[in-house]
Amino acid sequence: MRLATAANAAYTATLAVTELLGCKQCSGGGGGTGEELGIRIPRPLGHGPSRFIPEKEILQVGNEDAQMHTLFADSFAALGRLDNITLVMVFHPQYLESFLKTQHYLLQMDGPLPLHYRHYIGIMAAARHQCSYLVNLHVNDFLHVGGDPKWLNGLENAPQKLQNLGELNKVLAHRPWLITKEHIEQLLKAEEHSWSLAELVHAVVLLTHYHSLASFTFGCGISPEIHCDGGHTFRPPSVSNYCICDITNGNHSMEEMHVAGSVSITDSFCEVEALMEKMKQLQECRDEEEASQEEMASRFEIEKRESMFVFSSDDEEVAPARDVSRHFEDTSYGYKDFSRHGMHVPTFRVQDYCWEDHGYSLVNRLYPDVGQLIDEKFHIAYNLTYNTMAMHKDVDTSMLRRAIWNYIHCMFGIRYDDYDYGEINQLLDRSFKVYIKTVVCTPEKATKRMYDSFWRQFKHSEKVHVNLLLIEARMQAELLYALRAITRYMT
């Protein structure tokens, strides 16, 4: 209770000081402006916490209600900052609360791994997707908890134990279906620098958490904080009414010009109506007849094959920057569809190994309480609904949410025997599939054009919800493959 109260006070005080300083500088009070004193004042480069979402549609810090204020204070207490990921996730407070609780436990509470190892593993995981935003945040956190600065010169300078984790990080991030019990054995039975089972489970959860968080960062166009690389400029403002107190929110003085595409509002409205009609028809078909198991299996294979041919027209390699790529090995290794080039990867049947019956208990046994926290986060993201679709209210969106979740697992070769994969093509159009596959598999290639091109009449809060589904489905898929391999090693 004291911690929460202290955090609340610290967070409120930080806001007040920042705003006070800013307004004095704007008004010319308080002993002169920074420029007059010869101080270079940084100004934000971006337009709020996200490059994809107009800042006027994001909750402004200082305007939050009591519940949001408590969430912001909790985030401030856990991280020592109020980052842009939090400011975008706050569209969905119930999820944000669960996310912050889980991340705080993984990084700061009692666990098998020392604190500096946890942040370094976060750096390794985020770097695999060239996510400099997360890398920079955790470089600061790593140093703050006493990490050796030499490790940051490159993975080869880190302890051999962490270097040994590089292979698992690589495969888990890009092709988790290739993980075998041999990967696990190599880490647990190394002659020197071996991992314990508990340490490895902690590391696996951290890796999957940060691979997925990189997807959210790119999928929502998260902007760097003002104090990070790419988050500020020292050039003077372009208009006279710029207020330095906007730095609190990472805001820019000018309204972001949200340029709509060539598609009219009427066309977008028709898309929503058509989607709702398809949902209605599919529900009626479900009620009338049920496909055989053979037909269901066939539809899964068709959807799995089709997912290999979903790619963006501007799909090209993104060369990793040296400041990020030094944190991992084999920079040429990336996502490849699991059945390409004659490879045959057996279908992962959820009926044989699932999170609820197998993964959850394994994690909770080796890293107590974390299984419960992750399970809660999965359920909140999957079941979250406000019963709305764009301008429509009182809508049952469960069919749509399940199609998104199961499409992601299908891309990873994971099959649910009781799901009709024919529904996916009915509910998810090509532009949406391109966005999903990019954000989940190669998030560093996500663009604002992709974000804008799907669900054009839907609210930004609904698109952020889509991203929550994407990152949790992705995290669960990675965990299933890694935990199954650990289970096979143990048996």
Side-chain angles (χ1 to χ4, degrees):
M1 199 65 181
R2 286 180 184 172
L3 177 62
T5 305
N8 211 319
Y11 161 64
T12 305
T14 302
L15 281 183
V17 169
T18 308
E19 289 170 3
L20 183 63
L21 284 173
C23 292
K24 279 184 178 179
Q25 288 163 345
C26 286
S27 62
T33 65
E35 282 85 352
E36 289 170 355
L37 296 172
I39 300 169
R40 300 177 75 212
I41 300 175
R43 293 183 173 85
L45 266 182
H47 302 257
S50 165
R51 292 177 290 109
F52 298 172
I53 305 171
E55 62 177 310
K56 63 185 178 183
E57 299 197 28
I58 293 177
L59 177 68
Q60 300 296 298
V61 175
N63 295 335
E64 69 272 16
D65 60 22
Q67 180 194 12
M68 304 295 187
H69 188 88
T70 301
L71 274 176
F72 285 163
D74 288 346
S75 177
F76 191 84
L79 304 170
R81 58 179 176 266
L82 190 60
D83 62 26
N84 286 340
I85 286 176
T86 299
L87 293 176
V88 172
M89 277 189 185
V90 82
F91 273 120
H92 304 287
Q94 185 188 7
Y95 175 86
L96 176 60
E97 185 176 11
S98 177
F99 172 85
L100 290 173
K101 195 162 47 171
T102 305
Q103 184 166 261
H104 176 66
Y105 198 96
L106 288 174
L107 293 176
Q108 293 174 281
M109 299 298 283
D110 288 345
L113 293 173
L115 298 185
H116 61 304
Y117 266 50
R118 303 181 198 192
H119 290 292
Y120 197 81
I121 290 169
I123 292 168
M124 289 172 64
R128 278 275 21 145
H129 283 307
Q130 305 160 39
C131 188
S132 56
Y133 174 89
L134 290 174
V135 168
N136 289 335
L137 288 183
H138 285 280
V139 161
N140 292 333
D141 292 339
F142 171 77
L143 294 172
H144 181 71
V145 296
D148 187 342
K150 294 192 186 72
W151 298 10
L152 301 175
N153 293 330
L155 184 59
E156 66 276 7
N157 296 291
Q160 188 61 47
K161 184 171 180 174
L162 284 168
Q163 291 184 46
N164 292 347
L165 195 64
E167 181 70 14
L168 184 66
N169 179 29
K170 176 179 82 172
V171 181
L172 200 55
H174 304 299
R175 307 173 202 175
W177 46 87
L178 297 181
I179 292 174
T180 65
K181 68 177 183 180
E182 283 70 33
H183 287 105
I184 306 304
E185 189 171 25
Q186 286 168 10
L187 290 166
L188 297 176
K189 288 195 169 181
E191 290 186 14
E192 294 182 66
H193 318 292
S194 63
W195 291 74
S196 71
L197 264 174
E199 288 175 332
L200 185 56
V201 166
H202 193 170
V204 163
V205 173
L206 282 167
L207 290 173
T208 59
H209 177 80
Y210 282 103
H211 294 157
S212 300
L213 197 53
S215 283
F216 185 86
T217 301
F218 286 114
C220 290
I222 301 295
S223 302
E225 269 75 26
I226 187 171
H227 63 280
C228 294
D229 290 345
H232 61 267
T233 179
F234 290 104
R235 283 181 288 186
S238 56
V239 290
S240 58
N241 66 344
Y242 181 78
C243 175
I244 198 70
C245 66
D246 282 343
I247 285 176
T248 307
N249 285 317
N251 294 342
H252 194 275
S253 60
M254 298 176 66
E255 286 291 318
E256 181 181 41
M257 296 300 292
H258 182 59
V259 181
S262 58
V263 180
S264 69
I265 292 176
T266 304
D267 288 343
S268 296
F269 181 83
C270 290
E271 288 177 0
V272 179
E273 297 294 318
L275 180 54
M276 291 188 66
E277 182 59 30
K278 284 177 183 173
M279 289 167 62
K280 180 182 175 184
Q281 291 171 359
L282 285 170
Q283 187 59 55
E284 289 171 354
C285 289
R286 271 187 192 174
D287 296 340
E288 289 173 10
E289 59 178 328
E290 191 173 319
S292 66
Q293 279 298 313
E294 292 76 13
E295 180 62 24
M296 301 269 259
S298 174
R299 289 174 186 176
F300 170 79
E301 292 300 328
I302 290 169
E303 189 57 50
K304 190 171 73 165
R305 280 197 304 274
E306 285 187 0
S307 74
M308 293 190 295
F309 300 103
V310 172
F311 56 88
S312 169
S313 56
D314 54 1
D315 194 8
E316 57 184 45
E317 292 302 314
V318 180
R322 168 61 190 157
D323 64 327
V324 173
S325 65
R326 65 175 175 234
H327 298 299
F328 64 94
E329 298 166 331
D330 197 357
T331 57
S332 63
Y333 191 94
Y335 173 80
K336 289 281 187 292
D337 290 305
F338 49 82
S339 294
R340 282 265 165 96
H341 312 303
M343 287 182 59
H344 177 68
V345 178
T347 295
F348 187 126
R349 295 177 72 252
V350 171
Q351 278 65 22
D352 297 332
Y353 194 96
C354 68
W355 166 255
E356 290 79 7
D357 297 336
H358 307 93
Y360 168 84
S361 58
L362 178 61
V363 172
N364 245 20
R365 188 162 81 247
L366 294 169
Y367 188 8
D369 297 328
V370 167
Q372 179 65 39
L373 289 168
I374 295 171
D375 188 63
E376 178 186 283
K377 191 159 59 76
F378 286 158
H379 278 93
I380 290 174
Y382 186 88
N383 296 312
L384 185 66
T385 183
Y386 306 97
N387 299 112
T388 60
M389 274 182 63
M391 70 294 295
H392 296 279
K393 295 180 180 179
D394 301 318
V395 182
D396 180 357
T397 61
S398 56
M399 180 182 289
L400 191 53
R401 284 180 276 121
R402 190 177 186 193
I404 294 168
W405 188 281
N406 286 2
Y407 179 60
I408 294 160
H409 280 198
C410 179
M411 290 192 302
F412 283 81
I414 298 172
R415 181 190 166 212
Y416 295 81
D417 285 352
D418 61 348
Y419 183 69
D420 181 355
Y421 287 85
E423 292 185 5
I424 289 174
N425 273 340
Q426 296 290 315
L427 297 174
L428 313 183
D429 63 23
R430 186 185 180 282
S431 62
F432 193 12
K433 284 184 172 183
V434 166
Y435 178 79
I436 291 172
K437 185 171 183 180
T438 303
V439 171
V440 170
C441 302
T442 53
E444 60 276 10
K445 298 179 183 178
T447 64
K448 187 175 188 300
R449 184 190 59 76
M450 292 179 194
Y451 177 90
D452 290 338
S453 68
F454 82 92
W455 284 10
R456 285 165 286 198
Q457 199 58 25
F458 283 70
K459 300 173 189 139
H460 289 288
S461 61
E462 291 171 308
K463 293 195 172 190
V464 172
H465 183 197
V466 165
N467 275 280
L468 300 183
L469 283 168
L470 302 193
I471 66 172
E472 295 302 335
R474 176 190 176 167
M475 181 174 179
Q476 189 177 98
E478 287 190 25
L479 276 175
L480 284 173
Y481 278 110
L483 296 174
R484 185 180 68 170
I486 291 172
T487 300
R488 287 177 171 175
Y489 167 80
M490 291 170 66
T491 56

